[in-house]
Amino acid sequence: MILTVTLNTALDITYRVPALTPHASHRVTEVTERPGGKGLNVARVLAALGHDVTVAGFAGGDTGRTLHERLADAPHLTDALTPVDGATRRTLAVVDSATGDTTQLNEPGPLVSPAEWAAFLDSYEELTRRPGTAAVALCGSLPPGVPVGAYALLVRAARAAGVPVLLDTSGEPLRRGVAARPDMVKPNADELAELTGSHEPSRATRDARRRGAHAVIASLGAEGLLAVTPDGSWQAAPPVRVHGNPTGAGDSAVAGLLSALAEGLPWPDRIARAVALSAATVAATVAGEFDAATYEDVLAKVTVRGRDSAP
């Protein structure tokens, strides 16, 4: 079982309009709703790959009830979300059909009380100690009320339980979480630059390792992934540039890394899978899903190159 943690879960709502024009009324042609937040996106991809996943975090209010309902019948998914009094946030994406551009509006999330945070910690520690827990993913932003050092605490708890832990967040939560020595961090180029002060990916990934992360897997957009690990350094990219919607591509990369870790695959195979899933997510017709045919095609063709720089 793989455990994904989404402290700031969401109900993702997507509106599609013929063209988005400021200061105008719009006729919506299509509406979709689904559970969201980075860790839930990761869980969805892991489940599609056939892995059993438990989702943890917070859910409350009417939107929280909708999350529970949508998760109830999902194959390979177990709902372990902790209840809160506040309402789970909504994220609203407006897709302009004419251009393909997406405008995103994100609510901040519910205020989490100290008692609710303590209840989550008890549940999280029990889940990490459960036999068969193969890995933990800590993903996304923090809702109001959750301490900024939350991920550092969760990293240490997973490591104390002997479970590999991947951290995917940004800003101060990332800085503090890295200091707790997670097994993997997966920042994008901007997050990595903010953490290290360097915009040169090779230098920045090495610096992030020196700050505490055992392995750093940096998302470089169309340039693929750069991984600096205790076992070596590699870079991989799709064989051709994939066009489409990049929403959720980073979450799919996390799912690729975790699934390959759970299967005991070596680093080059983990990186290849992460790149292929990320590219397949860009190519999918629905944001945050992945196109199976593109995944298989890219996985067969992606090249993972070792790098000479020392990890």
Side-chain angles (χ1 to χ4, degrees), residues 220-224 237-244 246 275 278-280 282-283 294 297-298:
L220 305 179
E223 302 303 316
V240 296
R241 189 182 184 105
V242 178
H243 297 281
V275 167
S278 182
V282 174
T294 301
D297 182 60
V298 174

Side-chain angles (χ1 to χ4, degrees), residues 99-241:
T99 65
D101 292 338
T102 300
T103 300
Q104 191 85 15
L105 302 173
N106 296 327
E107 296 179 356
L111 177 64
V112 176
S113 72
E116 291 164 345
W117 173 238
F120 167 81
L121 287 177
D122 288 342
S123 173
Y124 173 79
E125 291 177 358
E126 190 276 327
L127 288 167
T128 58
R129 293 193 298 265
R130 186 173 294 178
T133 301
V136 175
L138 306 174
C139 304
S141 62
L142 302 179
V146 171
V148 70
Y151 282 134
L153 178 62
L154 300 182
V155 167
R156 287 192 288 267
R159 290 182 57 79
V163 178
V165 55
L166 182 151
L167 177 62
D168 184 13
T169 187
S170 60
E172 186 64 13
L174 174 61
R175 190 185 69 80
R176 297 197 187 195
V178 164
R181 303 186 64 77
D183 295 272
M184 293 180 278
V185 295
K186 196 217 66 63
N188 61 34
D190 291 339
E191 292 161 350
L192 189 61
E194 182 182 7
L195 173 67
T196 66
S198 173
H199 291 272
E200 201 288 306
S202 295
R203 179 181 301 171
T205 48
R206 293 194 300 271
D207 184 45
R209 283 204 70 224
R210 286 192 291 269
R211 291 168 184 260
H214 287 260
V216 180
I217 304 93
S219 294
L220 305 179
E223 302 303 316
L225 295 176
L226 171 62
V228 180
T229 82
D231 300 320
S233 301
W234 294 270
Q235 187 164 1
V240 296
R241 189 182 184 105

Side-chain angles (χ1 to χ4, degrees), residues 7-142:
L7 295 178
N8 210 5
T9 57
L11 180 64
D12 288 345
I13 304 168
T14 302
Y15 288 165
R16 185 174 290 274
V17 298
L20 181 61
T21 305
H23 316 299
S25 296
H26 297 78
R27 185 174 297 278
V28 176
T29 59
E30 181 183 345
V31 181
T32 59
E33 288 186 355
R34 67 176 187 178
K38 291 179 69 66
L40 285 177
N41 295 339
V42 172
R44 185 182 300 108
V45 175
L46 286 168
L49 293 171
H51 286 268
D52 292 326
V53 189
T54 296
V55 296
F58 297 106
D62 291 339
T63 46
R65 281 189 288 274
T66 301
L67 251 62
H68 288 302
E69 292 168 0
R70 296 294 178 88
L71 293 171
D73 298 324
H76 298 292
L77 281 176
T78 299
D79 179 354
L81 296 172
T82 299
V84 292
D85 288 337
T88 296
R89 67 185 177 130
R90 296 160 297 180
T91 67
L92 179 62
V94 182
V95 180
D96 184 324
S97 297
T99 65
D101 292 338
T102 300
T103 300
Q104 191 85 15
L105 302 173
N106 296 327
E107 296 179 356
L111 177 64
V112 176
S113 72
E116 291 164 345
W117 173 238
F120 167 81
L121 287 177
D122 288 342
S123 173
Y124 173 79
E125 291 177 358
E126 190 276 327
L127 288 167
T128 58
R129 293 193 298 265
R130 186 173 294 178
T133 301
V136 175
L138 306 174
C139 304
S141 62
L142 302 179

